[in-house]
Amino acid sequence: MSNIPSPDFTPRLIVRRLSVDLSTPMRRHWNGGDAFLTAFYNALSFSFPEGEQFFIESVRNGVQHLDAETCNPAFHDTIQGFIGQEATHRHLHAQYNIQLEAQGLKNHWGPRIVKRKTRARRLFLKSTKRHLHELAITAGYEHFTSVLGDLTLQSIGKESDWLQDADTSQQTLWRWHAAEECEHKAVAFDLYQQLGGNHTWRLLWVVYLSIHFTTDVIRQTINNLWHDRTLHKPSTWWSAVKFCFGRYGWLWRCTPRFAAYFRKDFHPNQMGSEKHMREWQETNKSQWQAVGSPTAQET
């Protein structure tokens, strides 16, 4: 085991209960009436319950290998906050997905995650490094979600905001999730480093994940549009082209940030701005309650 010290900065991660009603049916095209943008975000949501569960499991497995004598005790509190935040994301998006399935959409992404997880654990069944492989996978996905999260928050009020015309409850849900992904973006990465994870395996896994993430989100988005009966509409394809290749498109905004992960000296805290995350949380503090506070216990 490596004796690399725990990170000097170990943020206190607050587990927040979001005040958003996910029991009321949402509009079919809740993102400004745009079928493609709605289908894209709905595709991401379908991946979250199983994906977040894997992240929780990988961090829980990894923390068991920490050396109590060399690890900063505050890092354990940070890890527990990470698990609490991810569990809340998993819970709310499971409720969200019930609404999507009621609209006739089919979740194919979630079951694929379960199958891959089962195959991977069978493959590494006898490996003493299984926890490191799982943490490398989690760190890679956390980089993807934090990049998307930071772009979501820094674009508020601007033409580049992909959620600018979304229904209020959906804006709240996705920006709350984005803020927390930015807040805990370094936890799995730091744990991987602390346990002696190497640069080569980190890159091999992120290449593998990049392929799967791209194909999965495309497949699920297309499937959503098919069931929505908007796949063949010109307006759908025009929105997709703008989202991918337009002035504020995914390709130009995300690719350089994703590529930064390949640097040997990379750390998640080098990316994004804490300012946008904190601004949203402060401005919208009426929308959430810290779990464990007196008010939260009463509700």
Side-chain angles (χ1 to χ4, degrees), residues 49-63:
E50 293 297 344
E52 307 280 20
Q53 180 61 34
F54 175 79
F55 303 158
I56 291 169
E57 292 169 357
S58 70
V59 169
R60 277 180 175 159
N61 292 338
V63 77

Side-chain angles (χ1 to χ4, degrees), residues 230-250:
T230 53
L231 179 61
H232 301 297
K233 289 188 174 182
S235 59
T236 299
W237 287 92
W238 177 238
S239 177
V241 169
K242 288 192 296 181
F243 178 78
C244 294
F245 307 108
R247 181 181 177 186
Y248 303 113
W250 164 296

Side-chain angles (χ1 to χ4, degrees), residues 1-296:
M1 180 182 299
S2 170
N3 287 323
I4 299 172
S6 297
D8 293 329
F9 175 65
T10 53
R12 177 173 175 263
L13 297 178
I14 298 172
V15 180
R16 300 170 180 85
R17 178 178 296 169
L18 190 65
S19 300
V20 61
D21 181 13
L22 293 176
S23 62
T24 303
M26 65 183 76
R27 285 200 305 146
R28 180 171 288 275
H29 299 149
W30 55 262
N31 201 348
D34 189 309
F36 171 78
L37 286 178
T38 301
F40 171 79
Y41 279 95
N42 289 346
L44 293 177
S45 184
F46 272 142
S47 76
F48 288 146
E50 293 297 344
E52 307 280 20
Q53 180 61 34
F54 175 79
F55 303 158
I56 291 169
E57 292 169 357
S58 70
V59 169
R60 277 180 175 159
N61 292 338
V63 77
Q64 295 176 14
H65 296 265
L66 278 176
D67 187 338
E69 294 183 1
T70 61
C71 179
N72 181 346
F75 191 41
H76 283 276
D77 294 335
T78 298
I79 289 171
Q80 291 307 309
F82 171 90
I83 292 171
Q85 288 187 348
E86 295 290 53
T88 307
H89 300 172
R90 178 191 62 193
H91 174 69
L92 285 184
H93 280 280
Q95 292 182 296
Y96 181 109
N97 293 347
I98 290 173
Q99 296 294 336
L100 300 184
E101 289 169 347
Q103 293 180 358
L105 304 186
K106 307 295 182 183
N107 186 356
H108 296 283
W109 194 347
R112 283 199 296 271
I113 292 173
V114 174
K115 289 180 181 178
R116 288 172 192 153
K117 180 172 68 173
T118 302
R119 285 199 303 266
R121 287 181 172 166
R122 189 180 299 123
L123 177 64
F124 294 113
L125 183 62
K126 297 182 180 180
S127 172
T128 59
K129 301 294 185 181
R130 171 185 143 181
H131 61 288
L132 289 177
H133 291 296
E134 292 188 357
L135 282 171
I137 293 169
T138 299
Y141 272 124
E142 287 294 307
H143 178 58
F144 295 161
T145 55
S146 68
V147 166
L148 291 173
D150 187 65
L151 287 173
T152 296
L153 297 173
Q154 69 173 233
S155 299
I156 294 175
K158 301 177 182 177
E159 190 178 351
S160 56
D161 185 0
W162 295 326
L163 292 165
Q164 63 181 327
D165 297 318
D167 293 351
T168 302
S169 61
Q170 303 305 317
Q171 286 193 32
T172 300
L173 174 68
W174 285 100
R175 287 172 176 157
W176 158 79
H177 193 159
E180 292 197 345
E181 290 298 329
C182 293
E183 190 173 36
H184 66 230
K185 62 187 175 184
V187 174
F189 185 96
D190 284 340
L191 183 55
Y192 178 74
Q193 298 290 93
Q194 172 73 7
L195 294 174
N198 67 61
H199 178 68
T200 301
W201 272 109
R202 180 168 69 82
L203 297 194
L204 288 173
W205 276 118
V206 82
V207 169
Y208 174 85
L209 299 178
S210 298
I211 295 169
H212 276 298
F213 179 80
T214 303
T215 56
D216 281 336
V217 73
I218 291 172
R219 290 173 68 181
Q220 186 64 59
T221 300
I222 290 174
N223 189 271
N224 290 348
L225 291 168
W226 173 263
H227 286 287
D228 186 47
R229 299 183 180 180
T230 53
L231 179 61
H232 301 297
K233 289 188 174 182
S235 59
T236 299
W237 287 92
W238 177 238
S239 177
V241 169
K242 288 192 296 181
F243 178 78
C244 294
F245 307 108
R247 181 181 177 186
Y248 303 113
W250 164 296
L251 183 65
W252 320 121
R253 300 175 74 191
C254 293
T255 300
R257 296 168 183 245
F258 287 161
Y261 194 80
F262 288 82
R263 296 200 316 263
K264 196 164 187 177
D265 63 345
F266 171 81
H267 188 275
N269 288 339
Q270 297 166 350
M271 305 295 295
S273 170
E274 185 177 348
K275 173 177 174 287
H276 300 118
M277 171 187 71
R278 297 302 177 199
E279 279 183 352
W280 187 90
Q281 290 173 339
E282 179 63 25
T283 303
N284 294 273
K285 60 185 178 182
S286 63
Q287 301 296 320
W288 57 268
Q289 178 67 45
V291 173
S293 69
T295 304

